[in-house]
């Protein structure tokens, strides 16, 4: 039985992971630490209300005393670190928050793990600090370049990716310097249930249903690799169970295509699933908008290492993943509505639906 601390567990990928883990390991204890910013939604976890193995704590990963206390109180042996500022556009206009959360916050967690596991003479359990990162730390690729591997040099091009690169380096340094048991995963673009509507796929979905323009930066030929979030959660689970200490694993969806092709695919799937929409075909809503600064041309992930060492490959194709994602959004209008209300009101939702648990 493990005691997990999941940071950012009320956010998109973190919440999916919490559900995945408790379905897979129902006897484990999971403590979620989330500061509930605009992207952290209490409704992402409301299905766990009443689960005695689940505990939610509203708080900041930069709060050293809080994190230290949680590590001790709940005897945390597995820390899975999702919490991050992650929207590139926001990092361009307000980079300070990205440095604070992604760099300082990660360092706060590393210090807490070191104190709990390595500086504690009575600690006698296996432990692991898993850090969830991004393919954006590797910079950009040309059309003919080979995909990113775990050995690709870092070359971040936005404040967001630079802050994630800094956090990756800190995690690796704590392993090399202090022998902290860590693993790192660098993933490609995720999509699926609970994704806050600032990222491309939920924005396109919601705008399409409302008959609003579907914005695409520049010429639409920026290439990304798309990973269904449940496949990502499965990969992290395998890394925690079987991954080698101190190693990094790239996690990709084997679905590399341009933003224009992605939006076109999503529109066609939506046409089939919402055939009575007055906005069909939804492709007619595609609108090209001014490009953002420092826009990386292409990302691509080579999954050879995780496939050969851990026998992992994504289960969902882009088409099957998009269908599941659209079906989820269509069935969860209340969740969509909750994203539109004030952050403080969403926090209020949390405290009326979620129990607390003592160690």
């Amino acid at each position: 039985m493990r005691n997990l601390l999941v940071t950012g567990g009320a956010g998109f990928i973190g919440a999916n992971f919490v559900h995945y883990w408790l379905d897979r390991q129902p006897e484990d204890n999971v403590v979620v630490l989330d500061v509930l910013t605009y992207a952290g939604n209490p409704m992402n976890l409301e299905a766990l209300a009443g689960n005695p193995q689940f505990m939610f704590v509203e708080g900041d990963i930069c709060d050293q005393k809080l994190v230290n206390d949680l590590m001790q109180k709940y005897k945390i042996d597995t820390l899975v670190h999702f919490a991050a500022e992650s929207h590139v556009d926001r990092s361009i206009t307000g980079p300070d928050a990205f440095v604070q959360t992604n760099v300082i916050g990660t360092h706060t967690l590393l210090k807490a793990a070191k104190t709990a596991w390595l500086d504690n003479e009575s600690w006698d359990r296996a432990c692991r600090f898993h850090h969830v990162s991004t393919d954006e730390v590797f910079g950009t690729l040309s059309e003919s370049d080979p995909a990113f591997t775990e050995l690709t040099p870092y070359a971040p091009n936005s404040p967001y990716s630079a802050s994630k690169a800094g956090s990756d380096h800190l995690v690796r340094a704590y392993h090399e310097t202090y022998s902290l048991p860590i693993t790192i995963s660098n993933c490609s673009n995720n999509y699926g249930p609970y994704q806050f509507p600032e990222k491309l796929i939920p924005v396109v979905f919601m705008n399409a249903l409302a008959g609003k323009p579907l914005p695409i930066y520049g010429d639409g030929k920026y290439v990304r690799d798309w990973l269904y979030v449940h496949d990502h959660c499965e990969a992290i689970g395998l890394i925690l169970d079987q991954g080698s200490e101190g190693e990094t694993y790239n996690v990709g969806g084997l679905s590399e295509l341009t933003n224009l092709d992605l939006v076109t695919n999503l529109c066609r799937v939506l046409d089939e699933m919402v055939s009575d929409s007055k906005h069909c075909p939804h492709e007619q809503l595609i609108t090209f908008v001014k490009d953002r600064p420092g826009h990386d041309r292409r990302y691509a992930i080579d999954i050879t290492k995780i496939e050969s060492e851990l026998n992992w490959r994504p289960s969902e194709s882009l088409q099957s993943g998009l269908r599941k994602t659209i079906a989820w959004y269509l069935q969860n209008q209340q969740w969509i509505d909750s994203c539109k209300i004030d952050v403080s009101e969403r926090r209020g939702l949390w405290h009326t639906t979620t129990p607390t648990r003592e160690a």
Side-chain angles (χ1 to χ4, degrees):
M1 187 181 73
R2 286 173 168 166
N3 297 322
L4 281 76
L5 176 62
V6 179
T7 70
F12 164 45
I13 307 176
N16 276 283
F17 177 79
V18 171
H19 288 293
Y20 164 82
W21 193 268
L22 284 173
D23 285 343
R24 175 177 171 270
Q25 301 287 354
E27 299 304 314
D28 285 357
N29 297 310
V30 175
V31 178
V32 166
L33 175 62
D34 199 300
V35 74
L36 292 182
T37 62
Y38 73 94
N41 192 334
M43 289 189 70
N44 294 353
L45 297 171
E46 69 174 357
L48 297 172
N51 186 331
Q53 307 307 119
F54 171 73
M55 167 72 179
F56 177 80
V57 177
E58 181 180 344
D60 193 336
I61 60 170
C62 295
D63 185 336
Q64 190 72 68
K65 182 179 185 305
L66 172 62
V67 178
N68 286 349
D69 289 347
L70 291 176
M71 295 290 291
Q72 179 178 1
K73 181 176 181 179
Y74 296 105
K75 298 179 175 59
I76 300 299
D77 52 48
T78 305
L79 197 160
V80 189
H81 179 30
F82 293 97
E85 295 285 349
S86 65
H87 192 39
V88 176
D89 289 7
R90 288 177 182 267
S91 82
I92 293 169
T93 57
D96 289 6
F98 288 73
V99 175
Q100 180 68 20
T101 297
N102 299 352
V103 180
I104 304 302
T106 299
H107 191 220
T108 301
L109 296 170
L110 287 165
K111 289 189 290 182
K114 177 179 177 292
T115 298
W117 301 337
L118 305 184
D119 300 341
N120 182 357
E121 293 182 358
S122 64
W123 186 266
D124 61 355
R125 301 182 64 174
C127 48
R128 175 67 61 86
F129 186 113
H130 182 73
H131 177 59
V132 181
S133 190
T134 171
D135 58 1
E136 297 193 37
V137 299
F138 300 120
T140 189
L141 296 170
S142 71
E143 183 178 343
S144 59
D145 285 335
F148 299 132
T149 73
E150 290 78 3
L151 299 179
T152 300
Y154 277 28
N157 290 320
S158 70
Y160 161 61
S161 56
S163 67
K164 289 299 290 185
S167 65
D168 290 7
H169 290 318
L170 280 170
V171 174
R172 182 181 178 279
Y174 262 68
H175 174 70
E176 295 296 327
T177 302
Y178 306 112
S179 298
L180 190 74
I182 65 95
T183 42
I184 299 172
S185 55
N186 293 86
C187 69
S188 57
N189 284 35
N190 279 224
Y191 68 99
Y194 305 122
Q195 188 168 30
F196 188 80
E198 65 180 357
K199 300 298 179 72
L200 182 57
I201 287 178
V203 164
V204 168
F205 167 79
M206 293 178 194
N207 282 14
L209 286 187
K212 296 180 180 179
L214 310 182
I216 298 182
Y217 280 130
D219 61 6
K221 295 182 180 180
Y222 293 93
V223 175
R224 300 292 183 263
D225 175 45
W226 294 91
L227 172 65
Y228 189 59
V229 66
H230 292 174
D231 283 334
H232 187 191
C233 294
E234 181 183 55
I236 294 171
L238 282 170
I239 293 168
L240 287 171
D241 288 343
Q242 303 174 29
S244 298
E245 186 178 306
E247 291 295 316
T248 295
Y249 297 89
N250 281 355
V251 184
L254 300 180
S255 296
E256 185 183 341
L257 73 171
T258 68
N259 288 345
L260 179 58
D261 286 342
L262 171 73
V263 173
T264 300
N265 269 276
L266 193 153
C267 286
R268 291 172 181 172
V269 173
L270 194 57
D271 289 346
E272 295 176 18
M273 297 181 69
V274 192
S275 57
D276 59 345
S277 171
K278 64 182 180 181
H279 307 298
C280 286
H282 291 93
E283 284 181 58
Q284 66 185 332
L285 300 171
I286 291 175
T287 304
F288 294 93
V289 299
K290 182 181 179 181
D291 210 349
R292 73 183 181 207
H295 200 167
D296 291 336
R297 195 63 175 173
R298 172 177 169 246
Y299 304 143
I301 285 283
D302 184 330
I303 66 167
T304 299
K305 180 176 179 179
I306 193 170
E307 184 176 20
S308 61
E309 293 188 11
L310 305 183
N311 196 30
W312 178 88
R313 284 178 65 86
S315 299
E316 300 293 341
S317 67
L318 181 69
Q319 291 301 109
S320 65
L322 285 179
R323 287 182 179 279
K324 289 184 176 182
T325 300
I326 292 172
W328 186 89
Y329 281 120
L330 289 172
Q331 295 164 11
N332 287 274
Q333 183 61 48
Q334 185 180 5
W335 181 90
I336 293 173
D337 293 341
S338 76
C339 292
K340 301 174 184 176
I341 67 176
D342 182 77
V343 170
S344 62
E345 293 182 61
R346 277 193 268 129
R347 286 175 172 164
L349 288 173
W350 176 265
H351 295 295
T352 62
T353 59
T354 305
T356 58
R357 172 179 60 81
E358 293 297 323

